[in-house]
Amino acid sequence: MTVTYSSKVANATFLSFHRLLLRWKGSIYKLLYREFILFALLYTVLSLVYRLVLSEQQKRLFEKLSIYCDRYAEQIPVTFVLGFYVTLVVNRWWNQFVNLPWTDRLMFLISSCVQGKDEYGRLLRRTLVRYVNLTSLLIFRSVSTAVCKRFPTIDHVVEAGFMTPEERKVFENVRSPHLKYWIPVVWFSNLASKARQEGRIQDSIDLQNILNEMNLFRTWCATLFGYDWVGVPLVYTQVVTLAVYTFFFACLIGRQFLDPTQGHPGHDLDLYIPIFTLLQFFFYCGWLKVAEQLINPFGEDDDDFEANWIIDRNLQVSLLAVDEMHMNLPHMTKDVYWNDSDARPPYTLAAADYCIPSFLGSTTDMGLNYLILLISWSDAALQISSASVKEY
């Protein structure tokens, strides 16, 4: 379920963002705590072995190994590789959200352009919009694990009412090795053309607009399918994952606190707990975990897209728009500002501070000041001229 916290950060107040650090659902703590505990446990085990188990000669060898690992671990370009990877994944995640298939534009056109309040006209509009929803459902079944669990077979699609038994026979009789989400698009196009021939769509421009919107809807569906088909190159994902985990594997040995009496550079204190190494693990591995969660937003993570909700919402509002709301208009009345040339909606007392004067441009005050200065110069010049005339 998508975690929403926008209302909590609507205003930048004191400690407003800090309160978000205490949330668990959708947090980095929930995502990373297992790896964090494992890293801290392994570090503690190595530290105890070094301090309590190894002999003096073995300690000297371990100290040399620790210094060696610490020196060369910094040569792994973790920040550089991880930064580019997360940027790529986040851009890919947002583009998938932008291309989610919504039925609104099509349902507006169908409701306004497909005429007829009789039973056939109603059937025509509902069938058209059902084909639209069926197209998105077939795409979501192929990319979303949550939707696939809900509709694992075509039987479930028919049972849910997105497809009739007769349409299922036609659908299954089309022999194609490819994903057949395009079949409802063909049905939609043919049915819209038939409606134009029957006069239910009164203008060819209206038909063209409906088909153009359907093509745009199909493009959204195809884009999601393309993102599911062609992911981030596996090589890149492997390089980033290996870089991060190799770096922290080296840190398990290289960041150990060594015996201060040996005089190793940088080991003057023995703090037992590697605070900054743990913070570094939290930030870098948290960064990697964010990318792992966003790389496929159609899974079942906390912040993945609610594909099932989108299906339910699209079906409900689209059928409502083309059926019950078709040509069902409220009575027109004069608005409250009918004879008021200066319409100003009222403010509540809580919103009174947001009533501000209109912005007229950044140079408005400069022009006003220049006018005042010009008037002052004119008055001064007039006074000097009057004094000169009197002396003369």
Side-chain angles (χ1 to χ4, degrees):
M1 183 177 183
T2 304
V3 179
T4 302
Y5 59 91
S6 300
S7 62
K8 304 298 182 182
V9 293
N11 300 317
T13 58
F14 181 65
L15 296 181
S16 60
F17 273 82
H18 295 77
R19 286 194 291 269
L20 297 178
L21 298 179
L22 303 178
R23 297 171 65 102
W24 174 256
K25 189 173 184 179
S27 67
I28 188 62
Y29 319 121
K30 181 179 179 181
L31 199 61
L32 190 62
Y33 76 94
R34 298 179 185 87
E35 288 84 354
F36 187 82
I37 292 174
L38 179 61
F39 179 80
L41 183 62
L42 291 176
Y43 184 93
T44 303
V45 169
L46 281 177
S47 179
L48 292 175
V49 169
Y50 165 68
R51 297 170 188 276
L52 304 176
V53 177
L54 299 182
S55 64
E56 290 298 322
Q57 183 179 2
Q58 291 172 336
K59 285 183 178 181
R60 303 292 84 82
L61 290 175
F62 182 84
E63 289 164 0
K64 291 179 181 180
L65 178 62
S66 176
I67 295 172
Y68 176 83
C69 290
D70 186 44
R71 180 188 307 153
Y72 287 100
E74 298 298 332
Q75 297 183 9
I76 301 176
V78 179
T79 305
F80 177 78
V81 173
L82 193 56
F84 274 100
Y85 182 71
V86 173
T87 301
L88 173 64
V89 170
V90 170
N91 289 334
R92 173 188 171 89
W93 166 78
W94 182 250
N95 287 333
Q96 290 183 74
F97 175 78
V98 171
N99 286 280
L100 288 175
W102 302 96
T103 59
D104 298 49
R105 295 173 59 142
L106 266 168
M107 75 185 188
F108 297 149
L109 282 174
I110 293 172
S111 181
S112 60
C113 297
V114 182
Q115 305 300 319
K117 299 192 70 173
D118 57 335
E119 185 175 355
Y120 179 74
R122 181 187 177 192
L123 176 63
L124 186 61
R125 288 188 299 273
R126 290 180 68 94
T127 303
L128 285 170
V129 83
R130 183 166 56 79
Y131 289 159
V132 175
N133 285 280
L134 177 59
T135 302
S136 64
L137 174 60
L138 294 177
I139 279 294
F140 280 132
R141 281 184 70 243
S142 67
V143 302
S144 172
T145 56
V147 176
C148 190
K149 288 180 179 180
R150 183 182 178 185
F151 303 99
T153 64
I154 294 297
D155 290 335
H156 294 83
V157 176
V158 174
E159 184 181 353
F162 287 89
M163 183 186 294
T164 64
E166 183 180 354
E167 290 167 353
R168 176 191 175 179
K169 293 179 182 178
V170 177
F171 183 85
E172 293 179 341
N173 286 335
V174 176
R175 300 299 179 184
S176 175
H178 309 293
L179 182 67
K180 296 189 286 188
Y181 76 96
W182 49 270
I183 292 180
V185 181
V186 177
W187 293 345
F188 179 95
S189 303
N190 293 337
L191 186 58
S193 299
K194 180 182 178 183
R196 173 69 183 102
Q197 294 172 1
E198 295 173 346
R200 296 287 178 165
I201 300 177
Q202 298 179 355
D203 195 285
S204 297
I205 296 178
D206 292 336
L207 174 61
Q208 182 180 2
N209 290 334
I210 291 175
L211 293 180
N212 287 340
E213 285 300 328
M214 187 60 193
N215 280 327
L216 178 61
F217 187 86
R218 187 215 62 84
T219 300
W220 292 337
C221 294
T223 301
L224 294 185
F225 181 73
Y227 274 116
D228 185 67
W229 175 33
V230 181
V232 177
L234 180 60
V235 175
Y236 198 5
T237 302
Q238 290 175 338
V239 166
V240 175
T241 305
L242 285 174
V244 172
Y245 285 106
T246 302
F247 174 78
F248 285 107
F249 179 77
C251 287
L252 284 174
I253 302 175
R255 299 293 177 85
Q256 292 286 338
F257 288 102
L258 305 181
D259 188 357
T261 60
Q262 299 300 316
H264 297 296
H267 291 274
D268 302 326
L269 294 175
D270 192 0
L271 299 179
Y272 297 97
I273 300 176
I275 298 175
F276 289 100
T277 300
L278 293 177
L279 287 175
Q280 199 173 28
F281 179 87
F282 189 82
F283 297 145
Y284 283 176
C285 284
W287 213 359
L288 180 63
K289 281 294 179 179
V290 168
E292 290 177 1
Q293 187 178 45
L294 298 183
I295 197 169
N296 181 11
F298 292 102
E300 298 175 72
D301 296 321
D302 284 343
D303 278 312
D304 284 344
F305 301 151
E306 296 292 342
N308 278 313
W309 177 86
I310 295 174
I311 292 171
D312 296 341
R313 182 262 176 197
N314 280 347
L315 181 65
Q316 197 272 336
V317 300
S318 59
L319 290 176
L320 185 64
V322 302
D323 191 357
E324 296 181 21
M325 295 188 65
H326 174 67
M327 296 304 171
N328 185 11
L329 300 173
H331 179 68
M332 290 191 299
T333 58
K334 294 181 180 180
D335 59 81
V336 295
Y337 308 106
W338 183 258
N339 291 318
D340 188 1
S341 60
D342 187 20
R344 289 175 180 254
Y347 284 81
T348 62
L349 187 60
D353 292 338
Y354 300 104
C355 182
I356 60 175
S358 298
F359 180 70
L360 300 177
S362 58
T363 61
T364 303
D365 293 338
M366 187 176 71
L368 182 60
N369 294 333
Y370 177 76
L371 181 60
I372 295 173
L373 184 62
L374 186 61
I375 293 174
S376 301
W377 285 349
S378 300
D379 290 343
L382 208 61
Q383 292 174 4
I384 293 173
S385 299
S386 299
S388 299
V389 169
K390 288 180 181 179
E391 290 179 1
Y392 179 76

